[in-house]
Amino acid sequence: PHFAEISGFSFLQSIRDLVFYDNPSLSYLTGLSNLSSINGTFNVRASGLKNFNYLNSISTINNLQVNYCDSLIDLNGLQQLSQIYGDLNISSNPNLLNLTGLNNINSIAGNCSIAYNTALTNLDELSSLNSVGVTLLLSGMNNLLSFSGLNNLMTIGSGLIISDCNLITDLLPLGNIIT
């Protein structure tokens, strides 16, 4: 179904999985303002979401996936998150200008994939990130000017993959990675 808003869930505080697929009419998540925990996956794909402002109570997310959201310009509203207990996947959001909302994340237990967000010019909002548990993938961001937001990253559990970030001229901001 195509719906423009989420209402009727104002008392919802915790849920296992929350998935919104192929709903270009959905602009705001107004009815989820008391949601504090998503113990499984929060997956938003191909929606008309403009931001996550009404999710400012969420402090726990296991997996966060935001893909193909053409209207999304930032991730504002997710500032309460300090850790992702699984994977973070932010990809194919053509108007995503910055990662505001991820400012306080210091660790991602699983994979971190930031790819094909073609308007993204920096990763400054990831400056609190110090560990990625598995693989860090940065790909398909031809307007990305620097990895400077990753200067506090010290640990990547398995691998670092960088591809198609053609304006990047140095890897110095990644120089603090020790494992």
Side-chain angles (χ1 to χ4, degrees):
H2 289 261
F3 41 89
E5 65 179 58
I6 304 292
S7 58
F9 295 103
S10 61
F11 296 107
L12 185 65
Q13 295 178 353
S14 179
I15 194 167
R16 166 92 177 125
D17 296 306
L18 186 59
V19 178
F20 298 103
Y21 263 28
D22 299 322
N23 192 346
S25 301
L26 182 61
S27 296
Y28 301 100
L29 299 174
T30 53
L32 298 173
S33 59
N34 288 317
L35 186 63
S36 63
S37 175
I38 300 174
N39 298 314
T41 297
F42 180 38
N43 189 335
V44 180
R45 180 183 172 99
S47 81
L49 277 181
K50 297 183 185 332
N51 57 49
F52 293 104
N53 284 346
Y54 295 96
L55 297 180
N56 56 2
S57 295
I58 291 186
S59 59
T60 302
I61 287 183
N62 202 18
N63 297 297
L64 175 60
Q65 300 174 7
V66 181
N67 312 104
Y68 303 102
C69 295
D70 293 348
S71 300
L72 195 63
I73 59 169
D74 63 36
L75 302 172
N76 196 31
L78 299 175
Q79 285 87 342
Q80 295 298 317
L81 293 174
S82 62
Q83 182 174 1
I84 303 286
Y85 294 93
D87 297 331
L88 173 67
N89 180 335
I90 309 294
S91 64
S92 302
N93 302 293
N95 294 307
L96 187 66
L97 299 175
N98 59 61
L99 299 175
T100 297
L102 302 182
N103 309 58
N104 295 318
I105 293 180
N106 57 49
S107 68
I108 298 167
N111 293 297
C112 177
S113 175
I114 301 174
Y116 303 102
N117 300 297
T118 53
L120 201 59
T121 60
N122 67 65
L123 302 173
D124 292 349
E125 290 81 8
L126 294 179
S127 63
S128 295
L129 184 64
N130 57 47
S131 71
V132 173
V134 184
T135 299
L136 173 60
L137 169 70
L138 303 167
S139 180
M141 295 181 287
N142 289 322
N143 288 316
L144 192 65
L145 301 172
S146 170
F147 292 138
S148 64
L150 298 173
N151 53 330
N152 290 317
L153 184 61
M154 297 178 68
T155 304
I156 298 175
S158 180
L160 171 64
I161 300 169
I162 300 170
S163 67
D164 299 322
C165 296
N166 298 330
L167 296 180
I168 300 296
T169 58
D170 69 70
L171 299 177
L172 287 176
L174 299 174
N176 289 324
I177 297 173
I178 55 175
T179 59

